[in-house]
Every structure is written in C-alpha cells, then in structure tokens.
Amino acid sequence: SLNCASFLEYTVKERHVAGVILARGGSNGIPLQNIKLLAGVPLIGWVIRAAIDSDVFDSLWVSTDHDEIERVAKKWGAKVHRRSAEVSKDTTSSLETIQEFCRMNPEVDIICNIQATSPCLHPHHLIQAVEMVTKQGYDSVFSVDRRHHFRWQEVTKGEGPDTKALNLNPAKRPRRQDWPGELCENKSFYIATKKLIDEGVLQGGKMAYFEMPAEYSIDIDNDIDWPVAEQKVLRFGYFGKDKPELVRLLLCNVLGCLTDGQISLSANGDERVSVNSRDLDGITMLQRKGTEVILLTSSENPTLGRLTDKLSQKTGCVVMSLNEPKQVEVEKLMKEKKLEWKEVAYIGNDATDVDCLSLAGLSAVPLDTSAMALIAAKYRCQSTAGHGAVREFCEHILHTNSFQNTRNSDKKYKSTD
C-alpha cells in the first residue's frame, strides 16, 4: 500500500506534460520567421532542440497552419498540431490556440507554451521551471528577466506637457549597481495547468516566476532584431548535448561546394571549371586563424584533377581523394591528427557526405544541396555552391571559434576570481 506522500508523488508523476510551440504561418513581423535560418538553424529548431533535450515533456508539439513549418517541425523531432482556421487569424490569442490544442489532446494535464522567438533557451531552464509545477505545486510559472529601465508616464495629446517618473525619484537617481531593477516577462515560456487554461487564463492560481539571466533573454519581433539575435545565439544558444569545440580542421568538398557543378566547354573542346574568389578568401581567413583546411575530391575527372592541383598551389591546402564510405577514411585522418569529431568541420553536398555531416562538430551544406545532405547538416548556407557557400561557412566557423574562445576565457577568469 502507498502512504499519503508516496501516493501524491505517484499521482504528480503521472500527469502528462506537453510542450507547445505556437508557429503560425502568417507572421506580421517577418514572413515565415519561425523557420527562417538563424545561425544556420531554423528559428523553431533552437527551441525544439532545447525542449527535446530537457526530457521533461511527455510530448512536444508545434502548432501551425502552414505546410512548410509543419515539415520543418517534424524534421526537428516535434509532433504537429494542425490548428484550425478559427485560431489562425491575426486577431487570435495564444490562449485560444492552446485551448483548441487541449480540446484535441485531452490526455494533457500541464502545458508549457514555449515561444519560438527565444532561441537562447536551454534545457536546464525548462527542467527547473517545469519542476516548479510538477514537484512544487505551482499552477502557473512564467519566465522573466531583470531589467534596469527607468520608466516615465506617457503623455498623450490634450493632457498637457507634464510627465512623472513611475519607478524612480528623479532627485535621487540610483546607480545601476545600487538598484536591483525590475522583473519583466521575457516571453520565453508560460507554463499552466489545463484547469487554468480551461478557465481562460495562462497565469493564475498559485503563481511563480522563473528568472533567466539576461544573456539568455532575447525576443525577435522584426528584421532589426535578427543580426543581434544571430550574434547572441552563437555565444549563448544551446547547440545540443555535444557542444561545439574549437574547430581545428575543415574538410571541404571541391565538387558541389567550391564549384557549382558546371563544366564549360571551350570552342576547341577544353573543359573548364570555375571557383569563386570569395570562397578562396574564406579558406585563407580560416588558415590565418590556425584552422587547417583539407580539400576533398572523389572524382577521377581529369579537369577536376587539374583544378585541385591549382587550388592546392594557390591556397596551400592538402588535397585528399576519398573513396566511399568517406567516414572510414576521414576517421583514419582524424586518428593521425589526434582529433575528435567535435573538433572537425565538414561541408558537403551529397548523400555520400551524410555520415560525416552528422558526426562533425560543425557541418554545412550549400543552399542548392540534396535533401539527404540537408537533413544531416547543422548549418544551411544562404549561398549556393561555387557562389560563396564556402566563404559563408568559413565565417560561421570563425564566429563559433571566437565565441568559444571567449567562453573559455570567461571560465578561466571566473575560476581565478
């Protein structure tokens, strides 16, 4: 028999917790922003990855009315709630959509509404916040961050020119370090019991906030926010259980990455292949920062052979001819260089690259790549093969290495503080 405490623990554990990401197709700010690539990952991919790795959800859903968002959501591992037209309007509230989700999924007891526009969310944030409901007995929990903004009363036309301070004494303006600031919703997530949602509220009952550090708080509303979000997510985003390390080696396929796959014929029948100078500059940038670059080829085409010889002379890169399966030969190379996959970056474009793309710490494909390679890659370039894709990935590697160096410096500084 179970005692009272054990029974309560048993019943609490049995409650079905669902994560729900609202991702309507008709965004008013940025068209299809929920699947726009942010640092090479679809925006909803960042929060789906964090939610899955938190392991606190019995089910994880993306609620959408759009076919492409549905496809991306499923690719990243979420289920899809195909919302009705009634809750897909500009005027529809989040609560109305979640209520429809609850009606269609009656087994759900607790809902965590995760915002797709919060790409710096980490699994540990979700774990701690969900446990406040499942283990500490709260009915609703929402995320906040601490802000140091002095607020003033708005004056509308016809009310006169005077305003007044709302949260400070202007005669005694506090220094930032002397003022704890205020807690504001950062819109990362809202957790509520189904009972509250049925009553028409997302925040109510026994309420609590979950404070997130400012570096993890960002909300994307328009195009102006995007470059800032991209820089922030590279430094503070969640990259999965296997965090990227400093990239020490880039393996770059020549055919279909450095070249666009086209072979032109001259009047006398000579074959010619072109390479973009921006891509070569990207390789040089990496080399100057200490990252080795090896060019990969598997073709016996004599034209490509002559090209790789010239590329080797121009860039100083070793050219390596790989046979299938590529993974075996790459791992032999890594063993010789005493490297792990997390220290290797790989850019490919075909089904034969899938294993290496999946295993590499950083991996990329050009915009015009095969579907199989696209699914395996961690980064999808905005540029096509032979037209800047390699340069773009090199810049991504440099950004990642730079922020990883900063993180390591921060850790070293804190450990000696």
Side-chain angles (χ1 to χ4, degrees):
S1 61
L2 295 171
N3 59 35
C4 183
S6 298
F7 177 76
L8 286 174
E9 183 181 3
Y10 173 78
T11 55
V12 167
K13 286 183 178 178
E14 284 299 299
R15 289 193 289 178
H16 185 113
V17 183
V20 181
I21 303 163
L22 305 183
R24 189 169 64 92
S27 171
N28 289 326
I30 305 171
L32 288 180
Q33 72 163 354
N34 295 305
I35 55 174
K36 182 177 177 179
L37 296 182
L38 180 72
V41 174
L43 185 59
I44 59 170
W46 290 100
V47 291
I48 290 174
R49 178 162 55 196
I52 289 174
D53 285 356
S54 73
D55 202 30
V56 293
F57 299 111
D58 297 295
S59 59
L60 178 66
W61 302 76
V62 168
S63 173
T64 188
D65 60 340
H66 196 277
D67 292 342
E68 186 61 14
I69 295 177
E70 176 176 353
R71 186 191 69 78
V72 173
K74 287 179 177 177
K75 175 197 164 184
W76 280 85
K79 296 182 178 181
V80 171
H81 160 233
R82 193 70 187 212
R83 63 172 73 176
S84 67
E86 286 72 23
V87 295
S88 300
K89 304 172 185 175
D90 289 342
T91 55
T92 302
S93 68
S94 297
L95 176 62
E96 290 172 312
T97 306
I98 294 171
Q99 285 176 326
E100 180 188 78
F101 169 82
C102 288
R103 289 193 296 271
M104 297 175 68
N105 298 275
E107 74 281 2
V108 173
D109 302 295
I110 299 168
I111 294 88
C112 178
N113 174 25
I114 305 169
Q115 301 294 302
T117 51
S118 298
C120 289
L121 186 66
H122 279 240
H124 67 84
H125 299 138
L126 294 168
I127 292 169
Q128 295 174 56
V130 169
E131 286 183 350
M132 293 174 74
V133 177
T134 60
K135 294 184 179 180
Q136 298 177 35
Y138 288 99
D139 299 306
S140 59
V141 175
F142 52 93
S143 59
V144 301
D145 64 2
R146 194 171 295 273
R147 302 178 189 179
H148 295 76
H149 295 167
F150 294 137
R151 295 182 292 108
W152 292 79
Q153 181 175 323
E154 183 178 359
V155 177
T156 57
K157 290 182 179 179
E159 290 185 353
D162 295 340
T163 184
K164 64 179 181 180
L166 297 177
N167 64 347
L168 80 151
N169 179 353
K172 298 180 179 180
R173 291 174 64 91
R175 298 182 305 167
R176 180 185 176 94
Q177 58 266 41
D178 296 330
W179 181 45
E182 296 180 323
L183 295 177
C184 303
E185 293 183 16
N186 71 349
K187 298 189 283 187
S188 283
F189 57 81
Y190 300 84
I191 308 172
T193 61
K194 184 179 179 182
K195 181 176 181 294
L196 272 182
I197 291 168
D198 289 341
E199 292 172 358
V201 291
L202 281 172
Q203 295 163 299
K206 185 181 178 182
M207 285 188 293
Y209 61 79
F210 178 83
E211 184 175 352
M212 292 173 59
E215 58 264 31
Y216 299 108
S217 298
I218 188 166
D219 186 50
I220 303 171
D221 286 323
N222 52 57
D223 280 321
I224 296 174
D225 300 326
W226 209 264
V228 176
E230 195 150 55
Q231 294 297 312
K232 199 166 186 178
V233 79
L234 283 171
R235 184 168 184 181
F236 299 111
Y238 176 69
F239 288 84
K241 292 179 179 178
D242 297 323
K243 296 179 182 178
E245 298 284 337
L246 283 174
V247 172
R248 305 188 187 282
L249 172 65
L250 168 62
L251 299 175
C252 174
N253 277 274
V254 174
L255 191 63
C257 291
L258 268 177
T259 73
D260 60 8
Q262 296 185 30
I263 298 176
S264 60
L265 294 175
S266 65
N268 60 4
D270 291 336
E271 295 181 342
R272 296 179 180 177
V273 180
S274 63
V275 176
N276 194 304
S277 62
R278 293 182 65 249
D279 290 328
L280 300 183
D281 290 342
I283 289 174
T284 301
M285 288 163 54
L286 266 188
Q287 292 171 321
R288 286 174 179 169
K289 291 294 183 178
T291 300
E292 183 181 2
V293 181
I294 294 180
L295 304 179
L296 304 180
T297 179
S298 58
S299 174
E300 299 300 325
N301 186 302
T303 301
L304 191 60
R306 290 193 295 272
L307 172 66
T308 54
D309 289 342
K310 291 181 179 179
L311 285 174
S312 180
Q313 294 170 13
K314 187 173 182 61
T315 63
C317 296
V318 172
V319 177
M320 184 175 177
S321 181
L322 296 183
N323 298 312
E324 297 182 25
K326 292 183 178 180
Q327 178 188 342
V328 175
E329 296 195 45
V330 169
E331 288 179 341
K332 287 180 182 177
L333 173 69
M334 289 165 51
K335 186 175 181 180
E336 291 173 6
K337 295 182 175 294
K338 298 181 180 179
L339 294 175
E340 299 179 34
W341 273 112
K342 60 185 178 181
E343 299 172 291
V344 175
Y346 189 98
I347 181 167
N349 74 315
D350 209 345
T352 57
D353 298 308
V354 166
D355 291 336
C356 293
L357 288 168
S358 299
L359 291 167
L362 288 178
S363 61
V365 291
L367 182 63
D368 54 339
T369 195
S370 70
M372 290 182 67
L374 175 61
I375 292 171
K378 299 175 177 66
Y379 184 95
R380 181 182 181 184
C381 297
Q382 296 292 295
S383 305
T384 56
H387 299 279
V390 171
R391 168 65 177 260
E392 183 183 336
F393 188 44
C394 288
E395 290 179 348
H396 178 66
I397 294 170
L398 288 171
H399 279 303
T400 303
N401 277 356
S402 174
F403 286 127
Q404 190 63 34
N405 278 324
T406 302
R407 281 177 175 172
N408 292 340
S409 298
D410 289 345
K411 289 176 183 177
K412 183 177 180 181
Y413 174 78
K414 289 177 182 177
S415 67
T416 58
D417 191 15

